[in-house]
Amino acid sequence: QAAGGAGETANGLCADGNPTSTPTTTQVPTLTFKPTFPGDLAYRALSAFYTATNGASWEDYAGFVNNNGWLSSDDPCTGDSWDGVWCASGEVVELYLEDVGLDGTVPTEIGYLTSLKDGVFRYNALTG
């Protein structure tokens, strides 16, 4: 019999050469509060992201994205613009935060952004 179980070789691959492990997924956090206004979940997700990634120290990227507008209103999709946050139909659909000095771990609250389709975070120091 192979090293780790039926069909597994000593190097962690199945006999057919494929990895034996399956990818893991991040669980969306269970809500422990009741959203109180439109945008509440987005605000909580993005404020947790801002705090966890050292938002106060984000840098300007070619005059386009930094921390301007972040935490300036209760809803990132209405009122003042949160730089790098794109919305459609009142939902956050994209985060464009390339090379702005993000440093830290992506918090689980990011899972509150259920309409998020795209995120550009390259050239930062993110984990998680």
Side-chain angles (χ1 to χ4, degrees):
Q1 182 175 352
E8 184 177 335
T9 64
N11 64 1
L13 298 177
C14 291
D16 64 357
N18 290 316
T20 58
S21 63
T22 56
T24 58
T25 57
T26 301
Q27 296 290 322
V28 174
T30 304
L31 292 180
T32 57
F33 60 91
K34 181 179 179 183
T36 56
F37 54 86
D40 189 17
L41 288 177
Y43 179 84
R44 289 176 189 240
L46 293 177
S47 63
F49 183 82
Y50 181 88
T51 301
T53 61
N54 200 19
S57 297
W58 294 353
E59 303 165 0
D60 186 26
Y61 175 71
F64 178 63
V65 173
N66 55 25
N67 60 6
N68 286 336
W70 279 71
L71 310 182
S72 63
S73 64
D74 289 340
D75 186 345
C77 293
T78 61
D80 293 335
S81 172
W82 293 31
D83 281 359
V85 177
W86 300 88
C87 299
S89 301
E91 299 286 333
V92 175
V93 295
E94 181 178 344
L95 296 175
Y96 187 90
L97 298 166
E98 177 180 11
D99 196 22
V100 296
L102 304 178
D103 185 15
T105 302
V106 177
T108 58
E109 289 88 351
I110 205 73
Y112 297 156
L113 302 176
T114 57
S115 295
L116 186 65
K117 304 291 184 227
D118 194 17
V120 178
F121 305 107
R122 58 185 168 219
Y123 310 121
N124 287 293
L126 290 177
T127 59

